Amino acid sequence: MKALVITLGVFLMPLAAAAAEADAGRFQLEKSGDHFVRLDRQTGAMSICQDKDGALVCRMAADERAAYEDELDRLAKRVTALEQGNAAQRALPSDAEVDRSISIMERMMKSFMGMVKEFQAEENTNPLPQKT
C-alpha cells in the first residue's frame, strides 16, 4: 500500500506543482502567532498551516473537516443506494417482453427485405448502361 501511495505521489507531484504555479494568486497567507492561516480566495476555505522542517504543512479547520466528513458519508450512502438499485435493474425480461421484441424485429426485417426486392426488381427492369 505504501508503494502505491509513493508511486502515485511521484507521478502526481509535477501536476501539483504546475497547478500551484497557475494558481499562485489563489491563496493568501496571514501569520497568526506560531502558525499561518491560509485563505483560498476561490472557495473561501481556510486552513491552518505550520512550518515543519522548512515545509509549510496545512490542515483543514475543524468546521471544514466536519463538513468534509458529512459529504463523504452522504456520498457513501448514495453509492450504496445506486449499487442496490442496479441489482434490481439487472433482472431478465419476461417471456412476453422477449416475444414482443422478436415480433418487432421480424416485422422490421420483412419490411427491409421487401424494399430490397423492390430495388432489385427496379434495377432488372431499368438496367444502367454499360460504360466499359
Side-chain angles (χ1 to χ4, degrees):
M1 186 67 178
K2 281 185 178 182
L4 176 64
V5 171
I6 291 171
T7 304
L8 284 175
V10 168
F11 286 115
L12 296 178
M13 190 79 69
L15 295 175
E21 290 173 10
D23 293 339
R26 179 177 175 179
F27 297 101
Q28 177 181 349
L29 284 175
E30 294 291 328
K31 185 150 180 77
S32 176
D34 62 341
H35 61 274
F36 294 90
V37 177
R38 181 179 71 174
L39 170 67
D40 185 344
R41 291 182 179 174
Q42 277 186 343
T43 64
M46 295 179 67
S47 303
I48 299 172
C49 302
Q50 292 181 335
D51 184 18
K52 291 189 178 181
D53 298 326
L56 196 60
V57 178
C58 300
R59 59 181 170 80
M60 286 187 244
D63 56 340
E64 290 178 18
R65 185 71 179 173
Y68 177 74
E69 293 293 333
D70 290 343
E71 182 70 6
L72 283 178
D73 290 341
R74 185 187 69 79
L75 291 173
K77 289 176 186 174
R78 183 174 176 197
V79 166
T80 302
L82 288 172
E83 286 174 347
Q84 290 173 350
N86 283 344
Q89 292 176 353
R90 290 185 193 140
L92 295 175
S94 67
D95 289 341
E97 291 172 331
V98 171
D99 291 341
R100 182 174 180 270
S101 298
I102 290 174
S103 69
I104 291 171
M105 292 295 290
E106 285 175 346
R107 282 185 284 165
M108 183 192 76
M109 289 302 293
K110 285 179 184 178
S111 175
F112 177 74
M113 294 308 288
M115 287 190 288
V116 169
K117 286 180 183 177
E118 286 178 20
F119 286 129
Q120 285 176 342
E122 188 177 298
E123 189 176 290
N124 289 338
T125 58
N126 299 324
L128 294 175
Q130 295 293 325
K131 293 186 177 186
T132 58

